[in-house]
Amino acid sequence: MVAVSEITRKPTRTGTAMALSVAGLTTFTLGFTTSTAAVGGLVATVALAAGLFRGSRRIVDAAGGLFFLSLLFAGASGAGTEALLLAALGSILAWDIAENARSVGEHLGRETDTLRLELVHAAATLVVLAVGAAVVYGADRAAAGGQPITAVVLLLVGVVALVTVVTR
Amino acid sequence: MSRGFDTERWTGLDGLVLAAAGAGVFTREASLLLAAGLGVVVLGYVRVAAIPEVSLRVERDLSDATPDPDDEVEVTLRVTNEGSRTLFDIRVVDGVPPALGVADGPARLGTALRPGATATATYTVTAVRGEHAWEETVVVVRDPSGAVESRETVSAETTLRCEPELAATADLPLRGLTSKYAGRVETDVPGSGLEFASIREYRHGDPIRRIDWNRRARTGELATVEFREERAAAVVLVVDTRPEAHVAPDDEAETAVERSVDAASVAFSALLDSGDSVGVAAFGPDECWLAPSSGADHRARARRLFATHPAFAPTPPDGAFFPSVAVRRLRRRLASDAQVIFCSPLVDDYGVSVARRLEAYGHAVTVVSPDPTTTATIGARLARIERDLRLRELRRSGVRVLDWGDEPLGVALARAEAGWSR
């Protein structure tokens, strides 16, 4: 028998670097809302780093949850629309890249060159998020003005209907 | 288009979207509703996720398809997308034969492939004796969002054949039981030969050259000189290939079966060179029998047998095995005057009983036993002591035993030969 090169089933380095950069940017964006949300973003970034270091899906998901709570808090305390949308975009992207890095690491290991795979994945998600944010933001601008509470409730009903149809 | 199976990556996002929307309504903050709107867009993206028809071609190139043992062979794996759609996320794991170790570079590949595009992975394997066929290549395809995944297998037939040369690096002395053909083993049978054996009364028909004329002159009686006959032996090399024999001191070391096969191939070559007729048999689930014979054809057959027969594979067999049936079959096949060289690590009592039974049936048995034991733990030391006791028991019952440790076979032989009687 001979020495066999082992596979390191840990999240890939490329994905880890990308996810942590995006998470850092998101935290920076949250800094424009409230300090509590910024601290929340920081904690979420640290959790994401821990999840990627350990290769644990649970911790990565928990980091995504922390990002969500920070967003919720920032939104509830009257953050600007632009900052919040940008932070939401960053949070989803960071979690997506991190989770993908974990899954690629589990399938192929750290030694395999997966740069192209992960770049394509990150780019696809980024494009979808950017287009989505642009559409949502554009709709908001177009319907600018104080909405009456009935419109807000109708919007909520619309969101619920959309979610149920889309997730079926 | 196939839906594949759900990776459940995005599970829970719908709940978060509803929570954000609810919070937006509750606090009358438009920004939260917009964030929820972004979430709905992502949900839509995940919802339309589907995997196109996957049509991949896999090719594999070996830098050398028939290498010598321990040679490094470079393997180039090419994966081509033959479908009409782009595959955004494909992960390929090559089916490297279990006996071969990947020495350098992962046998894996992850990329995105446009229609007609080819991705390449290069890795190195270290050749070991045997015939190794690559298994199916496993391909995992995901849609761009990673929501669905499908798993395919693609096969490309590749075989690596590694046949070591049969080299007679050590000369295995045989025991004094022989066939009727002239050869190199000196027997106690009186007849024609070189070494003086005895003088007996003249019988009508004895050759004139063998008459002891000195005695005739002295006493006037005719007497015939006899010499020790030198004959060739029929030898069968029996290799213990039972799952029990697939043991090694550690993960990186050769298993006892591999060493046994090495010893058998060395002995085969040496015996054939000295004019004996040699056969090969495996004592294990996979049947293997090469009847004793000699000549160049026979040598080539044996070389292929040692290299590629599944019975001698470096990985343990998984078939059912009935040892007593195998012993009976082996005994039926052995000619009554055949010697047996039994290569076994003797890590269980059955190996000992096989050797003793064959010896009892009149075959001269020599046991070549590669030592797989260590002294690392108390259990390992106990196993070593047990094996030593087995060897001792065999020696006591008249079987010749060669205990082969880490040293080369020739060295072990030279040491053991000093203690052997003819």
Side-chain angles (χ1 to χ4, degrees):
Chain A
M1 287 280 157
V2 285
V4 177
S5 65
E6 295 287 338
I7 301 157
T8 323
R9 295 193 185 274
K10 283 281 184 72
T12 58
R13 294 210 165 80
T14 327
T16 306
M18 285 198 291
L20 290 182
S21 323
V22 175
L25 282 179
T26 308
T27 308
F28 181 71
T29 316
L30 280 172
F32 288 101
T33 57
T34 66
S35 53
T36 318
V39 169
L42 203 63
V43 172
T45 307
V46 170
L48 198 68
L52 285 169
F53 179 74
R54 294 275 301 272
S56 152
R57 183 174 180 166
R58 238 178 242 180
I59 301 179
V60 169
D61 284 354
L66 283 173
F67 268 121
F68 176 74
L69 287 181
S70 311
L71 286 175
L72 219 55
F73 191 82
S77 45
T81 313
E82 292 86 357
L84 197 76
L85 260 186
L86 216 57
L89 188 152
S91 306
I92 298 176
L93 189 62
W95 172 84
D96 180 54
I97 294 175
E99 212 284 324
N100 191 53
R102 193 202 56 78
S103 121
V104 170
E106 192 173 282
H107 279 150
L108 302 176
R110 247 184 196 173
E111 291 77 10
T112 315
D113 175 27
T114 52
L115 181 66
R116 189 183 158 89
L117 174 74
E118 293 184 77
L119 277 184
V120 167
H121 180 89
T125 310
L126 180 62
V127 165
V128 168
L129 285 172
V131 169
V135 167
V136 172
Y137 188 66
D140 178 51
R141 286 291 99 162
Q147 305 95 329
I149 189 66
T150 45
V152 173
V153 169
L154 279 178
L155 194 61
L156 178 65
V157 171
V159 168
V160 171
L162 253 179
V163 168
T164 44
V165 165
V166 149
T167 57
R168 225 176 339 168
Chain B
M1 303 279 271
S2 61
R3 176 77 191 156
F5 80 88
D6 206 333
T7 56
E8 302 192 339
R9 251 188 116 211
W10 297 95
T11 307
L13 183 65
D14 41 2
L16 296 187
V17 168
L18 284 178
V25 171
F26 188 70
T27 59
R28 299 205 182 178
E29 287 290 345
S31 57
L32 278 175
L33 281 175
L34 291 188
L38 184 63
V40 171
V41 171
V42 175
L43 282 177
Y45 174 52
V46 171
R47 177 64 202 145
V48 298
I51 296 168
E53 200 64 54
V54 179
S55 166
L56 288 170
R57 190 178 71 233
V58 173
E59 290 165 308
R60 209 179 284 111
D61 276 342
L62 304 181
S63 63
D64 184 3
T66 52
D68 290 329
D70 293 334
D71 276 4
E72 306 244 299
V73 179
E74 198 174 88
V75 186
T76 311
L77 177 74
R78 272 192 216 89
V79 181
T80 309
N81 180 9
E82 292 201 311
S84 56
R85 306 284 293 271
T86 302
L87 301 174
F88 284 94
D89 188 333
I90 76 168
R91 302 158 188 200
V92 181
V93 180
D94 203 9
V96 180
L100 293 181
V102 176
D104 188 30
R108 287 147 190 264
L109 179 68
T111 190
L113 274 185
R114 279 194 307 277
T118 303
T120 311
T122 310
Y123 58 95
T124 314
V125 294
T126 309
V128 294
R129 178 186 52 74
E131 193 176 49
H132 311 282
W134 261 256
E135 293 170 1
E136 283 175 324
T137 304
V138 177
V139 181
V140 172
V141 182
R142 280 189 171 195
D143 79 297
S145 72
V148 286
E149 173 177 300
S150 85
R151 189 191 158 91
E152 327 256 332
T153 52
V154 190
S155 63
E157 286 195 10
T158 311
T159 308
L160 183 137
R161 187 175 283 129
C162 176
E163 295 179 10
E165 294 281 344
L166 294 182
T169 50
D171 207 1
L172 202 67
L174 290 172
R175 295 178 58 185
L177 186 135
T178 53
S179 72
K180 57 185 185 288
Y181 300 106
R184 61 151 186 164
V185 180
E186 291 181 348
T187 63
D188 294 332
V189 180
S192 57
L194 292 171
E195 196 182 330
F196 173 81
S198 61
I199 291 181
R200 63 164 169 77
E201 201 174 297
Y202 175 79
R203 271 184 233 137
H204 187 71
D206 280 347
I208 292 178
R209 286 192 319 177
R210 297 244 306 268
I211 291 174
D212 187 352
W213 293 110
N214 291 337
R215 176 177 257 229
R216 165 80 181 147
R218 215 166 42 241
T219 63
E221 282 170 13
L222 279 171
T224 305
V225 183
E226 287 197 310
F227 301 93
R228 287 170 71 162
E229 280 204 344
E230 293 178 354
R231 293 187 184 172
V235 187
V236 176
L237 300 159
V238 181
V239 180
D240 187 353
T241 58
R242 294 171 302 148
E244 289 87 345
H246 282 267
V247 284
D250 56 70
D251 288 347
E252 311 247 307
E254 278 187 317
T255 65
V257 170
E258 285 182 89
R259 296 178 67 193
S260 296
V261 173
D262 282 348
S265 55
V266 166
F268 185 91
S269 200
L271 293 170
L272 212 59
D273 285 346
S274 58
D276 299 310
S277 69
V278 195
V280 180
F283 184 68
D286 281 311
E287 243 208 271
C288 171
W289 169 254
L290 183 66
S293 177
S294 52
D297 283 0
H298 190 62
R299 183 188 294 268
R301 264 199 301 277
R303 183 182 168 199
R304 167 136 307 186
L305 195 79
F306 280 129
T308 61
H309 197 282
F312 299 135
T315 43
D318 42 15
F321 181 55
F322 306 100
S324 53
V325 178
V327 174
R328 267 206 299 280
R329 192 165 47 213
L330 183 65
R331 208 168 72 72
R332 262 204 315 277
R333 280 169 167 170
L334 288 175
S336 59
D337 58 357
Q339 294 204 20
V340 171
I341 294 178
F342 185 46
C343 303
S344 165
L346 295 180
V347 286
D348 63 344
D349 289 333
Y350 206 85
V352 176
S353 91
V354 171
R356 291 182 65 172
R357 274 166 80 178
L358 290 175
E359 177 82 17
Y361 291 133
H363 305 285
V365 178
T366 303
V367 174
V368 176
S369 181
D371 184 1
T373 58
T374 61
T375 50
T377 61
I378 293 184
R381 259 175 259 162
L382 185 65
R384 166 168 282 194
I385 291 168
E386 279 185 334
R387 183 172 165 279
D388 284 346
L389 288 174
R390 279 185 208 112
L391 296 188
R392 187 170 301 174
E393 184 192 337
L394 271 181
R395 288 193 180 109
R396 242 202 330 263
S397 56
V399 175
R400 205 186 248 182
V401 179
L402 169 60
D403 187 8
W404 178 23
D406 293 329
E407 69 274 24
L409 186 59
V411 177
L413 253 172
R415 200 193 53 219
E417 252 178 276
W420 286 351
S421 58
R422 190 166 288 281

